[in-house]
Amino acid sequence: MTYLVAIDDGHGANTPGKRTPIIPELGRSIRENEFNKAVAYYLDQELKACGFKTLLVAPTDEDTPLSTRTNRANAAKADIYVSIHYNAGGGSGVETYHYPSSAKGRKLAQCIHEYVIQGTPQKNRGI
């Protein structure tokens, strides 16, 4: 069985407020979409290399409403929905969410979170 993974890169490039403060080392702020798009691209490539089918639910830089993104995933009968958020507007650390009533979703979130936190010095904010 080949699983279909819907990949959501979060907010669009011009979504108001979705930017970091000015980062002195860069001399500019970072838009949340700038980071998210890169992560979504690499995730898409890695999943395909592992035999998964993928669906980019917001393939442009436009601010695609959440309902549109989830409707696209549901219409394609995605098995997994991964939404990537840099949270450029605040917060610090890594957290992983799952659909509250899904035991399988929680198990997958635990597996993903375990490996994501190993790859970053960021604070572990849990599942």
Side-chain angles (χ1 to χ4, degrees):
M1 176 179 194
T2 302
Y3 291 99
L4 174 61
V5 180
I7 302 172
D8 174 6
D9 68 355
H11 307 286
N14 295 311
T15 304
K18 301 301 180 182
R19 291 158 183 71
T20 66
I22 299 291
I23 299 171
E25 296 83 2
L26 298 177
R28 67 181 183 92
S29 63
I30 296 176
R31 294 176 185 209
E32 182 175 330
N33 177 265
E34 183 180 343
F35 178 84
N36 296 350
K37 264 238 181 292
V39 172
Y41 171 81
Y42 288 113
L43 177 60
D44 182 50
Q45 298 304 306
E46 290 298 318
L47 287 170
K48 287 176 179 174
C50 292
F52 289 91
K53 290 191 290 183
T54 63
L55 170 67
L56 300 173
V57 296
T60 70
D61 285 335
E62 297 301 314
D63 192 12
T64 306
L66 177 59
S67 61
T68 301
R69 292 179 265 155
T70 56
N71 286 343
R72 286 177 180 160
N74 288 330
K77 299 194 183 315
D79 298 290
I80 302 164
Y81 188 93
V82 176
S83 186
I84 301 159
H85 291 272
Y86 178 58
N87 291 337
S92 177
V94 175
E95 57 209 14
T96 304
Y97 291 87
H98 61 89
Y99 193 75
S101 62
S102 173
K104 288 180 180 179
R106 178 166 181 75
K107 186 174 182 177
L108 178 61
Q110 289 169 327
C111 291
I112 291 170
H113 190 78
E114 176 184 344
Y115 289 98
V116 169
I117 61 171
Q118 288 178 20
T120 181
Q122 296 292 318
K123 177 182 175 186
N124 179 357
R125 293 174 52 140
I127 298 169

